[in-house]
Amino acid sequence: MDAHGAFPAEYARTRRFTLGRPRGFRVAPDGSRVTFLRAASGHDPLSCLWVLDVATGRERLVADPARLGAGVDGDLPVEERARRERTRESAGGVVAYATDRALGLAAFALRGELFVAGLDPRPGAAGPVRRLPAGATVVDPRPDPVGRRVAYVSGGALHIAPLG
């Protein structure tokens, strides 16, 4: 490919050079960790949920949509497709998440399914990523401030799922 054709192709392939860049930051109240979204590379269209341990500088992959069986966004629910259009979201995978107050738990939707993930690596803290049963398509899940329940919208109605 000549130099004139390289820029437009790379610009399109990297979704305006945004793939692989960290975004959607949240900082734990004690400053110990930071959560964020990022694709594995500048050419990977799937965003993953990550945690940065501030003391060590180490990043930990928390939720990878490909490992959760939701690697392809082709059949997104209508509500999620509309939300992404409104927010001009061009990535796939985990594109939005919410956390409890202590940044110990994250909730997110993948292809209309409800997922929660433990963010605190200390022993006895919330566990790994798990799918929670939900009756229908899940949109905009959010854990309560103490991480005991997750609220989400489905079919135009508000639902609450206990984390038990």
Side-chain angles (χ1 to χ4, degrees), residues 64-118:
D64 180 348
R67 290 184 189 161
L68 296 171
V72 179
D73 280 342
D75 52 343
L76 285 173
V78 174
E79 299 92 341
E80 178 62 14
R81 191 173 307 284
R83 189 195 68 73
R84 289 184 187 194
E85 287 176 15
R86 281 192 310 276
T87 62
R88 296 182 179 206
E89 179 62 60
S90 62
V94 182
V95 297
Y97 70 101
T99 65
D100 63 352
R101 188 181 311 130
L103 211 74
L105 178 81
F108 55 93
L110 281 175
R111 294 178 62 193
E113 295 183 285
L114 176 59
F115 288 86
V116 294

Side-chain angles (χ1 to χ4, degrees), residues 123-143:
V129 178
R130 60 190 168 117
R131 185 182 161 278
L132 295 179
T137 301
V138 172
V139 178
D140 198 22
R142 297 179 180 271

Side-chain angles (χ1 to χ4, degrees), residues 6-105:
F7 174 78
E10 189 68 9
Y11 189 71
R13 187 174 28 261
T14 61
R15 313 257 168 94
R16 300 178 316 276
F17 300 113
T18 61
L19 297 179
R21 292 177 52 197
R23 63 191 179 86
F25 301 97
R26 292 191 180 57
V27 180
D30 64 3
S32 65
R33 60 193 172 283
V34 177
T35 59
F36 60 96
L37 299 173
R38 184 184 68 210
S41 75
H43 293 95
D44 186 347
L46 295 178
S47 290
C48 302
L49 179 60
W50 298 79
V51 174
L52 169 72
D53 181 303
V54 174
T56 65
R58 287 199 175 114
E59 295 177 356
R60 177 172 52 97
L61 177 60
V62 174
D64 180 348
R67 290 184 189 161
L68 296 171
V72 179
D73 280 342
D75 52 343
L76 285 173
V78 174
E79 299 92 341
E80 178 62 14
R81 191 173 307 284
R83 189 195 68 73
R84 289 184 187 194
E85 287 176 15
R86 281 192 310 276
T87 62
R88 296 182 179 206
E89 179 62 60
S90 62
V94 182
V95 297
Y97 70 101
T99 65
D100 63 352
R101 188 181 311 130
L103 211 74
L105 178 81

